[in-house]
Amino acid sequence: MSSVDRPASATAAALAALQERLAEREAEIASLEVELAETNKGVVALYAELDEKAAQLREASELKSRFLSYMSHEFRTPLGSIRSIGRILLDELDGPLLPEQRKQVEFIQSSSAELTEMVNDLLDLARVEAGRITVSPAWFDMLDLFAALRGMFKPILQNDEVRLVFEEPERVVRLYTDDKKVGQILRNFISNALKFTQRGEVRVRARVDDEDVVTFSVTDTGIGIAPEHLDSIFRDFIQLDSPLQRKLRGTGLGLSLSRRLAEILGGGVSVESEVGSGSTFFLRIPARLPGTEPAPAAGERPAREGAR
């Protein structure tokens, strides 16, 4: 072979090697494209399955909310009748009751009242989950709220060894939010505190943290809550395992509902507790409901007028 033919032969061999490597790369790319296509099909199928599962979950949640709402409404009518008949019997409109008969009727009344409270919690929970709960903000005074709560609990305080104390706030401010929902949260806190306090006191306070935030607290001298349960106590259907808890009935919805209502009002709830020493439940909310423009409270002038 001549010296001229040698470079041509080397070039041809190099070209052939390059073509072979190119063919290998093209084969690898083709294989990767096939794998990518299969992966894309799998991803599309997975998204479709996730969408289907999400739709099923939405449907199940809606059905649960509708069921809770329907059953709650259906239970309220007979419960109202039972409580009315019990009140008539206790008032002795049809004649005097024997001591044992009065005791039994009072037991019926207390049991129907507990069941009514459970039904109301279920109904409120169904409304919250369905997004059908309405917020009606208005101006109100903390002292008026405390007075209403004091009057509500006074007739039902049965344990002479427990005092219910409402402290007068150091600073009294007017709030613009839904007073009924604030009252409902505090009622849940106070009811729980009275239920699990056998002696001592339940103390209700309000503190103005700044011009925009108010913190309500309900402190008891009851059985307290173990540290490992503090994170779960505001979840749905949670009931703590204790002799007193097993003795007292409930759905475990009151605190969960309170948390959700507090969030709707732009705030939150929390708890501090020590076993054997009692608990303190907190409600912290904005003094003005977020996203609203309140009209001037009674006796106040609009800001523009006040600046003149």
Side-chain angles (χ1 to χ4, degrees):
M1 181 180 294
S2 67
S3 60
V4 175
D5 292 334
R6 289 195 190 113
S9 177
T11 301
L15 181 59
L18 286 173
Q19 289 176 338
E20 184 178 353
R21 286 199 295 271
L22 180 60
E24 291 175 356
R25 295 293 184 270
E26 288 177 346
E28 290 178 5
I29 291 172
S31 176
L32 289 173
E33 287 178 346
V34 171
E35 291 182 10
L36 181 60
E38 292 296 326
T39 302
N40 285 339
K41 288 181 182 178
V43 171
V44 170
L46 179 60
Y47 273 118
E49 184 178 353
L50 289 175
D51 288 340
E52 182 181 356
K53 295 296 183 184
Q56 291 175 356
L57 287 173
R58 286 193 297 269
E59 183 179 1
S61 179
E62 183 180 351
L63 286 173
K64 183 190 74 171
S65 297
R66 287 169 56 189
F67 172 77
L68 290 176
S69 179
Y70 175 77
M71 293 306 298
S72 299
H73 280 296
E74 290 300 308
F75 276 130
R76 292 176 81 174
T77 300
L79 281 171
S81 299
I82 292 171
R83 297 184 70 181
S84 297
I85 293 172
R87 176 48 53 194
I88 290 173
L89 292 173
L90 290 175
D91 290 341
E92 299 184 339
L93 298 179
D94 294 325
L97 296 175
L98 297 175
E100 183 61 27
Q101 290 175 327
R102 174 170 288 277
K103 180 180 178 181
Q104 295 299 327
V105 174
E106 288 175 347
F107 175 76
I108 292 172
Q109 282 291 83
S110 63
S111 297
S112 59
E114 290 175 3
L115 187 54
T116 299
E117 183 179 346
M118 297 179 195
V119 169
N120 289 336
D121 285 345
L122 284 169
L123 184 58
D124 287 336
L125 182 64
R127 288 172 178 163
V128 169
E129 290 189 343
R132 292 198 299 266
I133 197 160
T134 58
V135 179
S136 303
W139 290 102
F140 68 94
D141 195 300
M142 288 189 293
L143 293 179
D144 294 336
L145 175 64
F146 279 11
L149 290 169
R150 185 185 295 109
M152 182 181 303
F153 280 97
K154 186 176 180 180
I156 61 176
L157 288 174
Q158 299 177 346
N159 187 350
D160 294 335
E161 295 187 51
V162 178
R163 294 189 309 138
L164 177 57
V165 180
F166 289 84
E167 279 192 10
E168 185 170 341
E170 293 182 3
R171 290 178 57 197
V172 178
V173 299
R174 292 181 63 78
L175 310 180
Y176 186 81
T177 187
D178 193 322
D179 61 327
K180 291 183 175 57
K181 290 179 177 54
V182 175
Q184 185 174 359
I185 296 169
L186 293 179
R187 284 201 309 274
N188 280 330
F189 287 176
I190 296 169
S191 296
N192 271 350
L194 291 172
K195 186 183 296 184
F196 297 109
T197 302
Q198 296 178 301
R199 61 181 58 85
E201 69 173 24
V202 173
R203 185 171 293 269
V204 186
R205 301 181 178 95
R207 182 182 74 241
V208 181
D209 295 330
D210 54 47
E211 292 300 326
D212 300 320
V213 177
V214 177
T215 299
F216 296 92
S217 63
V218 178
T219 302
D220 65 61
T221 57
I223 60 177
I225 305 166
E228 62 268 22
H229 297 310
L230 293 178
D231 291 337
S232 63
I233 195 169
F234 290 105
R235 298 176 190 168
D236 293 348
F237 301 105
I238 293 295
Q239 290 184 315
L240 304 183
D241 188 19
S242 72
L244 187 57
Q245 175 71 65
R246 289 192 291 270
K247 180 181 177 182
L248 299 167
R249 293 180 295 276
T251 59
L253 286 176
L255 293 178
S256 170
L257 180 61
S258 296
R259 174 181 60 83
R260 299 189 187 205
L261 292 176
E263 291 170 354
I264 289 174
L265 298 179
V269 294
S270 60
V271 60
E272 295 176 358
S273 185
E274 183 178 345
V275 175
S277 298
S279 307
T280 300
F281 284 84
F282 299 94
L283 166 64
R284 194 169 188 265
I285 57 171
R288 307 288 186 270
L289 183 68
T292 61
E293 278 296 332
E300 292 183 358
R301 292 184 298 174
R304 185 173 297 176
E305 289 185 11
R308 290 178 183 174

